[in-house]
Amino acid sequence: MNIAAPIGQAANPVVSVGVVVSVRGAVVDVRFVDKLLPPINTALVVEWDRTEPLVLEVHSHVDPVTVRGIALQATGGLARGTQVQATMAPISVPVGEGVLGRLLDVVGTIRDRGPALPSDTPRRGIHNSPPALEDETSATEVFETGIKVIDLLAPLAQGGKAAMFGGAGVGKTVLVMELIHAMVEKYKGISVFAGVGERSREGHELLTDMQGSGVLARTVLVYGQMNEPPGARWRVPLTALTIAEYFRDQKHQNVLLLMDNVFRFVQAGSELSSLLGRLPSRVGYQPTLATEVALLQERIASVAGAAVTAIQAVYVPADDFTDPAVTAISSHMDSIIMLSRTLAASGFYPAIDPLASSSVLLDPLVVGEEHYRIAERAREALARFKDLQDIIALLGVEELGASDRLIVKRARRLQRFLSQPFVVTEAFTGTPGRSVSRADTLAGCKAILDGAADEWAESSLYMIGNLDEARQKEAAAIKKEPSS
């Protein structure tokens, strides 16, 4: 069969042929009578009677004649005795200019119903080593997002890794989509989006949204969705990363890598681990959790002349931030953005917890002395306000001392100022999205902390852009008030 060629191209033309001996969901055992076993992490192509090829990836050698493979497509209808062709090479996916503006699956097949890729499109194996440590560059340049609370308290690094942690329904996907809008227009680089285990509806909406906004031409979409087998969800981040690495290494272009959702990658590994019969680790996760996360995250690296900036959404099961998967992922991040269900329920969007979020870039040597000082003052005010909330709920704000009342007044205004409307929610809220420069964010926070907005209504600072907009809103509200 020639369908093996686009998936795994072997340098050695000799291939081995085997037969399926057992199928357990996504785990398939294949026996090779000629005893020429394919290496680990190489592709096998099942020669069955379906129109879509079934690709397996060799996971382990069971005995001298049998390998255990992970299926990357559904195995429904696969029978024992079906022939399997070993390619002796890893799964390879199309890379380069030809995939820009296209939607691919885990094995590089075009899924947007568009024309086929040119025959000369380069291909690259999905298993690659990270750059040598001496070739990597450190991330010290701030990646401005236009989102006030991120730029102030958890600045992202150009060429760094950032993760957004949150439970179900607190706004992770909306935040990722807003960052795509803000960054693709501002930074004229390449964007690679990996949809890992998310809903098919969200994938369709993102594709339609990108087509409408005109940013799809510089973006590659790679999907392994919730309705696909765990093998696809487990390997799709590697496919997206392979495309990003090509633009970094061969084209020397900056790449923005977005993943939604990395927890589904871990979850798929856990499902496969159970099917493979491994003993579970903490909380039922796979015993290889830390290794699998590290193999993915260590490949996200920048080299001289080309940066890969990664922004990843991470689902937090049951809002438990001590979950082993969450802690394993967070240990690799430069910036950690925590989303709060309490803030979301109170109507503060983006629902980013300013006290739990952090960044290695929030250092006076990186962001500057003024930014660091304003961020620390903001954090202090919000922390004190949080400490006083129980007293306020029991006794009322009038029972506080004068200094604490002033802190509460300013913290409440600062909390509202750090909210802002998004472009991607404009269709639902009717409010145009706002992007705020870091200078305007710092100026607004400093003015609020210095008392410039003490006499303003709190509503004037809610869901706005910069402080000038709040000033206009306050003036309009005063004008509407009936004269006494």
Side-chain angles (χ1 to χ4, degrees):
M1 289 181 69
N2 59 3
I3 59 171
I7 295 163
Q9 294 175 337
N12 189 338
V14 177
V15 292
S16 184
V17 176
V19 293
V20 174
V21 292
S22 77
V23 182
R24 296 183 305 282
V27 177
V28 181
D29 287 356
V30 180
R31 178 176 293 130
F32 290 86
V33 182
D34 56 10
K35 296 187 180 179
L36 183 60
L37 290 187
I40 304 294
N41 289 337
T42 57
L44 308 176
V45 181
V46 177
E47 301 178 343
W48 64 347
D49 56 356
R50 305 295 174 89
T51 54
E52 290 282 327
L54 172 60
V55 182
L56 313 176
E57 185 178 76
V58 178
H59 177 270
S60 59
H61 292 170
V62 180
D63 58 43
V65 295
T66 310
V67 300
R68 184 155 290 158
I70 303 296
L72 301 185
Q73 290 94 4
T75 56
L78 180 61
R80 285 184 294 179
T82 305
Q83 279 203 337
V84 178
Q85 184 179 9
T87 65
M88 299 298 181
I91 294 166
S92 65
V93 296
V95 294
E97 300 287 338
V99 297
L100 290 175
R102 307 305 300 271
L103 189 152
L104 289 72
D105 67 7
V106 64
V107 295
T109 306
I110 295 296
R111 294 293 182 188
D112 56 11
R113 299 180 181 176
L117 294 173
S119 57
D120 60 348
T121 302
R123 305 185 78 88
R124 187 166 174 157
I126 66 169
H127 295 282
N128 300 296
S129 300
L133 193 59
E134 61 187 11
D135 295 332
E136 292 187 21
T137 56
S138 58
T140 55
E141 187 179 341
V142 176
F143 200 89
E144 202 170 303
T145 65
I147 299 172
K148 290 180 284 192
V149 65
I150 293 178
D151 290 341
L152 175 69
L153 297 172
L156 308 189
Q158 174 103 20
K161 286 177 280 204
M164 291 169 291
F165 297 90
V170 295
K172 296 183 301 299
T173 300
V174 169
L175 195 51
V176 167
M177 290 173 69
E178 183 69 15
L179 286 167
I180 292 171
H181 271 276
M183 293 181 178
V184 172
E185 292 175 5
K186 192 177 292 185
Y187 299 94
K188 305 300 181 185
I190 302 297
S191 297
V192 180
F193 179 85
V196 186
E198 289 300 280
R199 302 167 186 85
S200 301
R201 169 187 58 78
E202 291 175 345
H204 179 73
E205 284 176 359
L206 182 64
L207 177 62
T208 307
D209 193 45
M210 283 192 159
Q211 286 171 335
S213 61
V215 299
L216 186 62
R218 307 297 292 165
T219 306
V220 186
L221 303 176
V222 187
Y223 279 106
Q225 291 299 88
M226 195 177 278
N227 60 324
E228 295 187 52
R233 290 179 269 126
W234 193 46
R235 286 309 189 206
V236 76
L238 302 188
T239 302
L241 190 49
T242 299
I243 295 169
E245 286 171 336
Y246 178 84
F247 285 108
R248 179 195 69 193
D249 299 335
Q250 306 300 319
K251 299 293 185 180
H252 306 291
Q253 291 177 293
N254 290 341
V255 182
L256 176 62
L257 176 66
L258 300 122
M259 291 192 192
D260 187 10
N261 181 305
V262 182
F263 177 80
R264 304 298 179 197
F265 158 75
V266 173
Q267 194 175 43
S270 179
E271 290 176 40
L272 291 170
S273 183
S274 298
L275 289 168
L276 292 164
R278 293 183 189 146
L279 284 173
S281 181
R282 288 173 55 208
V283 200
Y285 284 109
Q286 61 270 44
T288 52
L289 170 64
T291 304
E292 289 175 12
V293 171
L295 285 172
L296 173 67
Q297 299 294 346
E298 291 303 313
R299 280 176 61 181
I300 304 172
S302 300
V303 297
V308 175
T309 305
I311 297 170
Q312 306 168 37
V314 184
Y315 168 69
V316 179
D319 289 344
D320 179 13
F321 289 93
T322 63
D323 186 85
V326 174
T327 55
I329 295 166
S330 63
S331 64
H332 293 271
M333 297 299 149
D334 300 313
S335 301
I336 294 173
I337 299 165
M338 296 289 192
L339 285 96
S340 162
R341 189 171 302 283
T342 305
L343 288 173
S346 303
F348 294 108
Y349 292 102
I352 295 170
D353 188 333
L355 302 177
S357 303
S358 62
S359 171
V360 295
L361 265 69
L362 195 58
D363 184 294
L365 297 175
V366 178
V367 297
E369 194 71 45
E370 186 188 14
H371 183 154
Y372 180 76
R373 191 166 56 249
I374 293 169
E376 284 300 294
R377 286 182 64 196
R379 214 185 284 266
E380 284 172 17
L382 292 167
R384 183 60 182 158
F385 175 46
K386 187 177 181 181
D387 290 341
L388 294 169
Q389 277 181 327
D390 286 344
I391 298 172
I392 294 168
L394 287 170
L395 304 175
V397 73
E398 295 80 12
E399 297 301 315
L400 298 175
S403 61
D404 281 343
R405 281 204 305 273
L406 190 63
I407 287 171
V408 168
K409 178 188 283 189
R410 291 175 182 175
R412 286 176 63 88
R413 282 159 175 75
L414 182 64
Q415 197 175 44
R416 281 150 181 77
F417 177 68
L418 292 178
S419 67
Q420 72 188 82
F422 282 172
V423 173
V424 294
T425 59
E426 194 173 322
F428 309 104
T429 62
T431 306
R434 302 284 191 278
S435 179
V436 184
S437 69
R438 186 158 65 116
D440 284 348
T441 298
L442 294 175
C445 291
K446 185 175 186 300
I448 291 167
L449 291 167
D450 288 343
D454 284 358
E455 303 307 317
W456 296 4
E458 290 179 0
S459 58
S460 298
L461 294 153
Y462 178 67
M463 282 293 175
I464 55 155
N466 57 29
L467 201 63
D468 287 340
E469 190 177 338
R471 195 173 282 114
Q472 292 166 12
K473 203 171 171 182
E474 176 68 13
I478 292 171
K479 193 176 289 184
K480 280 184 182 178
E481 286 179 6
S483 55
S484 54

